[in-house]
Coordinates of all heavy atoms in Angstrom, one line a residue:
L1286 N 8.1 10.9 -4.9 CA 7.9 12.3 -5.0 C 7.6 12.9 -3.7 O 6.6 12.5 -3.1 CB 6.7 12.6 -6.1 CG 6.4 14.0 -6.2 CD1 7.5 14.8 -6.9 CD2 5.1 14.2 -7.1
A1297 N 0.0 18.2 8.6 CA 0.1 16.8 8.2 C -0.7 16.0 9.3 O -0.5 16.2 10.5 CB 1.5 16.2 8.2
K1304 N 1.8 4.5 -0.2 CA 2.4 3.6 -1.1 C 1.4 3.2 -2.3 O 0.2 2.9 -2.0 CB 2.9 2.3 -0.4 CG 3.9 2.6 0.5 CD 4.6 1.3 1.1 CE 5.7 1.6 2.0 NZ 6.4 0.4 2.6
C1308 N -0.6 -2.6 -10.5 CA -0.8 -4.1 -10.6 C -1.1 -4.6 -12.1 O -2.1 -4.1 -12.6 CB -2.0 -4.6 -9.7 SG -2.4 -6.3 -9.8
V1317 N -2.0 -22.1 -8.5 CA -1.9 -21.7 -7.1 C -1.4 -22.9 -6.3 O -2.1 -23.8 -5.8 CB -3.3 -21.3 -6.5 CG1 -3.1 -20.9 -5.0 CG2 -3.7 -20.1 -7.3
T1336 N 7.8 -3.1 8.0 CA 8.1 -2.4 9.2 C 7.2 -3.0 10.3 O 6.2 -3.7 10.1 CB 7.8 -0.9 9.2 OG1 6.5 -0.7 9.0 CG2 8.7 -0.3 8.1
D1345 N 14.6 -7.0 10.5 CA 15.7 -7.6 9.8 C 15.2 -8.9 8.9 O 15.8 -9.1 7.9 CB 16.7 -8.2 10.9 CG 17.4 -7.1 11.6 OD1 17.6 -6.1 11.0 OD2 17.7 -7.3 12.8
V1363 N 3.5 -14.1 -1.9 CA 4.2 -13.6 -0.8 C 5.4 -14.4 -0.4 O 5.2 -15.7 -0.4 CB 3.3 -13.4 0.4 CG1 4.1 -12.6 1.6 CG2 2.0 -12.6 0.1
E1366 N 10.9 -14.4 4.3 CA 12.2 -14.8 4.7 C 12.2 -15.4 6.1 O 11.4 -15.0 6.9 CB 13.2 -13.6 4.8 CG 13.7 -13.1 3.5 CD 14.7 -11.9 3.7 OE1 14.8 -11.3 4.8 OE2 15.4 -11.7 2.7
K1372 N 13.0 -24.6 12.2 CA 12.1 -24.7 13.4 C 10.7 -24.6 13.0 O 9.8 -24.7 14.0 CB 12.5 -23.7 14.4 CG 14.0 -23.9 15.0 CD 14.3 -22.9 16.1 CE 15.6 -23.1 16.7 NZ 15.9 -22.1 17.7
T1398 N -13.5 -1.1 -2.8 CA -14.1 0.2 -3.3 C -13.3 1.4 -2.8 O -13.7 2.5 -3.1 CB -15.5 0.3 -3.0 OG1 -15.7 0.3 -1.5 CG2 -16.4 -0.8 -3.6
D1400 N -13.2 2.8 0.0 CA -14.0 3.7 0.8 C -13.6 3.8 2.4 O -14.2 4.5 3.1 CB -15.5 3.3 0.8 CG -15.8 2.0 1.4 OD1 -14.9 1.3 2.0 OD2 -17.0 1.6 1.4
Y1404 N -13.9 -3.2 4.1 CA -12.7 -4.0 3.7 C -12.9 -5.4 4.1 O -13.7 -5.8 4.9 CB -11.4 -3.4 4.3 CG -11.3 -3.5 5.8 CD1 -10.8 -4.5 6.5 CD2 -11.9 -2.4 6.6 CE1 -10.7 -4.6 7.8 CE2 -11.9 -2.5 8.0 CZ -11.3 -3.6 8.6 OH -11.3 -3.7 10.0
F1407 N -8.0 -11.4 4.9 CA -7.7 -12.8 4.5 C -6.3 -13.2 5.2 O -5.4 -12.4 5.2 CB -7.5 -12.9 3.0 CG -8.6 -12.4 2.2 CD1 -8.7 -11.0 1.7 CD2 -9.7 -13.2 1.9 CE1 -9.8 -10.5 1.1 CE2 -10.8 -12.7 1.2 CZ -10.8 -11.3 0.7
Y1416 N -8.3 -18.0 6.9 CA -9.2 -17.3 7.7 C -9.7 -16.1 6.8 O -8.8 -15.5 6.1 CB -8.5 -16.7 9.0 CG -9.4 -15.7 9.7 CD1 -10.2 -16.2 10.7 CD2 -9.5 -14.4 9.4 CE1 -11.0 -15.3 11.5 CE2 -10.3 -13.5 10.1 CZ -11.1 -14.0 11.2 OH -11.9 -13.1 11.9
A1427 N -15.2 -16.3 1.4 CA -15.0 -16.2 0.0 C -14.5 -17.5 -0.6 O -14.0 -18.4 0.1 CB -13.9 -15.2 -0.3
W1440 N 9.5 -19.2 3.4 CA 8.2 -19.9 3.0 C 7.4 -18.9 2.2 O 7.5 -17.7 2.4 CB 7.6 -20.5 4.2 CG 7.1 -19.5 5.2 CD1 7.8 -18.9 6.2 CD2 5.8 -19.0 5.4 NE1 6.9 -18.1 7.1 CE2 5.7 -18.1 6.5 CE3 4.5 -19.2 4.7 CZ2 4.6 -17.5 6.9 CZ3 3.4 -18.6 5.2 CH2 3.4 -17.8 6.3
N1464 N -3.4 -4.0 2.0 CA -2.1 -4.1 2.8 C -1.7 -5.6 2.9 O -2.6 -6.5 2.9 CB -2.3 -3.5 4.2 CG -1.0 -3.0 4.7 OD1 0.1 -3.0 4.1 ND2 -1.1 -2.5 6.0
W1480 N 3.4 -3.9 5.3 CA 4.0 -3.1 4.3 C 3.8 -1.7 4.3 O 4.6 -0.8 4.3 CB 3.7 -3.7 2.9 CG 4.4 -3.1 1.8 CD1 5.7 -3.1 1.6 CD2 3.8 -2.5 0.6 NE1 6.1 -2.5 0.4 CE2 4.9 -2.1 -0.2 CE3 2.6 -2.2 0.2 CZ2 4.8 -1.4 -1.5 CZ3 2.4 -1.6 -1.0 CH2 3.5 -1.1 -1.8
S1481 N 2.4 -1.3 4.3 CA 2.0 0.1 4.5 C 1.9 0.3 6.0 O 1.1 -0.4 6.7 CB 0.7 0.2 3.7 OG 0.3 1.6 3.9
P1490 N -7.8 0.9 7.7 CA -8.0 1.1 6.3 C -7.6 2.4 5.8 O -7.3 2.6 4.6 CB -9.5 0.8 6.1 CG -10.1 1.0 7.4 CD -9.1 0.6 8.4
S1499 N -3.6 -2.1 -13.9 CA -3.1 -1.8 -15.2 C -3.0 -0.2 -15.5 O -3.7 0.2 -16.5 CB -4.0 -2.4 -16.3 OG -4.0 -3.9 -16.2
E1503 N -0.3 8.4 -16.9 CA -1.3 9.5 -16.9 C -2.4 9.2 -15.8 O -2.9 10.1 -15.1 CB -1.9 9.8 -18.2 CG -0.8 10.4 -19.2 CD 0.1 9.4 -19.8 OE1 -0.1 8.2 -19.6 OE2 1.2 9.7 -20.3
A1507 N -3.4 11.4 -12.4 CA -4.7 11.9 -12.2 C -5.3 11.4 -10.8 O -6.2 12.0 -10.3 CB -5.7 11.5 -13.3
R1517 N -4.5 12.0 4.1 CA -3.1 11.6 4.0 C -2.3 12.7 3.5 O -2.5 13.5 2.5 CB -3.0 10.4 3.1 CG -3.8 9.2 3.5 CD -3.5 8.6 4.8 NE -2.0 8.3 5.0 CZ -1.4 7.2 4.6 NH1 -2.2 6.3 3.9 NH2 -0.1 7.0 4.7
A1556 N -2.7 39.6 0.4 CA -1.7 40.6 0.8 C -2.1 41.9 0.2 O -1.9 43.0 1.0 CB -0.3 40.1 0.3
E1566 N 3.4 44.0 3.7 CA 4.7 43.9 3.2 C 5.3 42.6 3.6 O 6.0 41.9 2.7 CB 5.5 45.0 3.9 CG 7.0 45.0 3.4 CD 7.8 46.1 4.1 OE1 7.3 47.0 4.6 OE2 9.1 46.0 4.0
R1571 N 6.9 37.1 1.7 CA 6.7 35.6 1.9 C 6.3 34.9 0.6 O 6.7 34.0 0.1 CB 5.9 35.2 3.0 CG 6.4 35.5 4.3 CD 5.7 34.9 5.4 NE 6.1 35.2 6.7 CZ 5.8 34.6 7.9 NH1 4.9 33.6 7.9 NH2 6.3 35.0 9.1
A1579 N 9.6 27.7 -5.5 CA 8.8 26.9 -6.3 C 9.5 26.8 -7.8 O 9.5 25.7 -8.4 CB 7.4 27.3 -6.5

Side-chain angles (χ1 to χ4, degrees):
L1286 177 65
K1304 295 187 175 182
C1308 180
V1317 180
T1336 64
D1345 293 332
V1363 185
E1366 286 186 339
K1372 295 184 178 181
T1398 60
D1400 65 359
Y1404 66 91
F1407 306 94
Y1416 175 96
W1440 62 279
N1464 207 2
W1480 187 57
S1481 185
S1499 299
E1503 293 75 17
R1517 301 299 306 280
E1566 183 179 343
R1571 293 193 182 190

